[in-house]
Amino acid sequence: GVNTLTYTYTDGNGCTNTATTTVTVTGLPLVSFSGLSSEYCEDDNSSVSLTGSPDPDNLGGTGVFSGSGVTDNGNGDGTFVPSSAGPGLHNVTYTYTDGNGCTASQTQTVNVNALPTVAFSGLASEYCVDAPQVTLTGFPSGGSFSGTGISGNNFDPGAAGVGGPYNITYTYTDADGCTNTEVQQVTVNPLPTVSFSGLNSAYCINAGPVTLSGSPSGGTFTGTGISGNTFYPSVAGVGGPYTI
């Protein structure tokens, strides 16, 4: 408010006089701003609108936003981008200077949370289409798996079918509401086309050895009367049908 200052002087003759002046002390502006939440996730690329009060558009003066991840848009408006600020605690400040040259500010603290570290194990890079399903384990636990051939936390090559590479994703959301994923690829291979020749449907017990030929080469023969790639009717003995 307006204050009166008085200087009083008395000289050696006992005469007194005074000088008086007034001075005005202006209170600081009451500053605040809105739009900022207390925390965000580091992958949040949204532009958070900040609105300062007093508004220079209405009351004059200047209003400026500052801080990590902050862009001052002028006239008491600003933008905060969590991903630009990065993980950690950050101070966002609105500073307002009124027409009298008096300046005040408000600072709010915002926490940008780092994304959780996510991984999973149990998945090979490739399987045969007739392979049994495998159980996957996610870290931290409590997330969910998705992708071709996934049921719960299991991957079934037969259900996925021949093809790939398929993307298998583990998604986890932590207590701060921040989500991260781990993606691995898997290929499901077809079974080889297999055949063999040289075997008749019936032999006499005294028939000689029969040489068998497999395609593709490099496989193995098994069954009653088999030794290497040869079928011996006499070794198999009377009976059957035997499976070769």
Side-chain angles (χ1 to χ4, degrees):
V2 177
N3 301 275
T4 300
L5 303 181
T6 301
Y7 177 64
T8 302
Y9 176 76
T10 302
D11 64 15
N13 299 311
C15 297
T16 300
N17 204 356
T18 61
T20 301
T21 189
T22 60
V23 60
T24 299
V25 178
T26 302
L28 297 181
L30 182 62
V31 176
S32 65
F33 70 91
S34 61
L36 189 69
S37 296
S38 60
E39 56 184 348
Y40 298 89
C41 298
E42 69 168 306
D43 62 343
D44 190 343
N45 296 314
S46 62
S47 296
V48 180
S49 296
L50 309 176
T51 302
S53 176
D55 183 357
D57 286 334
N58 296 329
L59 299 179
T62 59
V64 177
F65 280 97
S66 61
S68 298
V70 171
T71 299
D72 179 59
N73 300 331
N75 295 324
D77 294 320
T79 301
F80 174 71
V81 180
S83 60
S84 297
L89 290 172
H90 304 283
N91 289 328
V92 176
T93 302
Y94 178 60
T95 302
Y96 176 77
T97 302
D98 64 16
N100 298 311
C102 296
T103 299
S105 64
Q106 185 194 57
T107 298
Q108 297 181 24
T109 301
V110 57
N111 186 22
V112 178
N113 296 307
L115 299 184
T117 300
V118 176
F120 71 91
S121 63
L123 187 70
S125 61
E126 56 184 348
Y127 295 92
C128 296
V129 70
D130 64 342
Q133 71 176 13
V134 294
T135 299
L136 310 180
T137 302
F139 306 95
S141 61
S144 61
F145 287 95
S146 61
T148 304
I150 289 291
S151 177
N153 64 335
N154 296 316
F155 172 71
D156 186 346
V162 173
Y166 300 120
N167 288 330
I168 305 302
T169 303
Y170 180 64
T171 303
Y172 175 79
T173 302
D174 64 16
D176 296 316
C178 298
T179 299
N180 205 359
T181 60
E182 161 86 352
V183 178
Q184 297 181 24
Q185 291 189 323
V186 58
T187 298
V188 179
N189 297 311
L191 300 182
T193 300
V194 176
S195 64
F196 71 92
S197 61
L199 188 70
N200 293 333
S201 62
Y203 293 91
C204 295
I205 186 66
N206 62 348
V210 179
T211 299
L212 309 178
S213 178
S215 177
S217 62
T220 58
F221 288 96
T222 59
T224 305
I226 288 291
S227 177
N229 66 335
T230 302
F231 172 67
Y232 294 88
S234 61
V235 174
V238 175
Y242 301 119
T243 298
I244 306 303

